[in-house]
Amino acid sequence: MPTNGAQTASPSARDRDQGASRRASGFGVVRQLAAFLVRAVLRTVLMLWLVASVTFLAIRALPGNPVDVWVQDMQGTGMTAAQAEKQATRLLNIDVNESLWSQYVSYLNNLLRGDLGQSVILSPGTPVSEMIGDRLGWTLFSVGFALIIGFFIGLYLGGIAAYRRGSWLDRVITNGSALMDSIPPVLLGILLTFYLSVVWDLVPVQNLRGAYSPDVQPGPNLDFVLSALAHVIAPGTVYILTSVGAWALIMRSSALSVLGDDYVKQGRARGLSERTIRVSYVQRNARLPLVTGFAISMGFVVSGSVLVEEIFVYPGVGQLLADALARRDYTVMQGVVIATTITVLIATAVADALYGWLDPRTRIEVSS
Amino acid sequence: MNDLVDRHTAGPPADGSPGDHTAVPRRRPVRGWIRRLGFGGTFGVTGLLALVLTCAYGRFGLEVPSTDLNAIAQAPSADHPIGTDFVGRDNLVLLIRGGWDMLELAFVAGTLMSAIAVAVGLLGAFAGGVVDRVLVTVTDVWLTVPRFILLLVIASLFRVGSTVALAVLIALFGWPYLARQIRSQALSLRSREYVESARLLQLRTVHIMVRYLVPAVAPFVVIATIQAMTSAIYQQVGLAFFGLVPLEDNWGVLFSVAYGQNALYLPAAAWSMLAPVAAICFLQFCLVLASRSLEEVFDPRLRGGR
């Protein structure tokens, strides 16, 4: 059973798996749990290191990198080179005069301590981790809200398409899903704003702006909660519409392959009702591959949030990145990239754990 | 035209002879293709051809529309069938001219993306062992990284100067999903009976790959390339929205410039924003329909009925 998790295992984790699968009972379960944890941690570390290194490379190490450019710009405004470098060192928490290698080491070191440096332009001196922390909640709220709803709609549509394979309904669902999957969320967001609030005048434009109305007091009161829910509808709808297609397509092909499996035929031969087969046989098994897809989809939706939050002026991490891109605040950019990666990594780890829990087969033969 | 439809969809001619005139006349090839592609596929392929022709005409046959400060952000009229933009240029001309760059980007990025994906996918599936494990790990890691955000940051730090450079950048960020698909396709091919028997005959691996596997994978690669094109366009629109693409007047740039000029709030000016949006959606729609119906043509198991 080549699962996502098993494939990304490093050699050492793989050896552990094989040891575990030979003795898949008693202590084997504990060993497998340990192997799973080791694998998850290894992958997390590998990905974080990769992303951190790419951002370091782009911001600091490549010729013409923005820190050097910034130091030159500061000299243009009357600072001496030493002053400008000192300021860059302070904001980045990296000594820009050291060798690249030791800059890299101290950069990774800072990361491990959760230090992402300070904003250079957007709000100079504010720690980037603080700026992200302020906004991460909104992004997780809107994206999480949409992911869950989109997931269930997608499951439902994909299931229908698989059962009614070849019918016009199947065609509508699959082609519609493929289309929604390829329409950039930014276009949908703009069309939604344009038609709802400009052409048909159904929703005042300010209701499609921000995370809550400016006249409610943020805090645990009913007005604020209702206002936040009302404001999440617009970006949420865009996320749902753009993610539902992928779910539906994965679910359809997964359900189709399950429908062809022997145990479904056997269930039919035993005279089980079609309903029982659908609910207990097909649905349960067809959902499994989607759990792995969850992490991928999470990455897509979080990426899409940059554009959607910019359109709906939603105060999440995406909008922070958009601001940072517009003003060239690269410590903020770097921080957002790393924070987003961590978010996706946590989702991946959760999806992996869920997969093992949902599908006992992978617990017994992890090593494939 | 008939010839074009045929050549575009048929891939390499089965008999290897490019000259159709001397061959035995086939019976109504176009109608046969329409039947095989289905309504959606025919629509997609025809739409793509129409787009390519129109955009080629726009790119090579039309002048840059002049700015007209007396006709700024106008609604459609007899002079300007779909209105004018914020400096009074004709939207229709801009639209027709702006398509070529989109197609060029889609083509270059799509081809490159699927080339990387095919290389990684096939190599992993057929080399097996450590090579496969490393490639799969790299693919999986790159797949889960929020690549679009990374792409935005890199495109903003190092300005891309040309459409081709942008396409290369997009391809480097876009290949892992396709690579995974191609790998699983290749794995299932490898265990097919005719491949097994070729192996039992002790034919050389290179021979097996060239003679048996590449032809079997080829249709899938065509489809993967089309899918890569939609993904490249998807990314380009996002980059254009933040002004991170070379300033060609392509649809993505037209739309984001119009949005930046607040065309959204003036129904007359909105034409300059909605026209490129509609064009992008139409292009994506045609690509999706074409790839889906080609999938069914090449893989009979996907066809309706069981």
Side-chain angles (χ1 to χ4, degrees), chain A residues 184-207:
Chain A
V186 61
L187 299 186
L188 269 183
I190 281 170
L191 289 178
L192 202 69
T193 317
F194 182 67
Y195 281 102
L196 284 183
S197 61
V198 181
V199 178
W200 298 327
D201 214 3
L202 293 174
V203 189
V205 172
Q206 58 270 29
N207 285 10

Side-chain angles (χ1 to χ4, degrees), chain A residues 4 8 165 182 209 328, chain B residues 140 158-159 265 284 301:
Chain A
N4 187 11
T8 50
R165 172 181 207 178
S182 65
R209 291 276 177 274
R328 303 274 175 273
Chain B
D140 270 359
F158 304 95
R159 286 320 197 73
Y265 304 107
Q284 294 285 68
R301 285 171 305 165

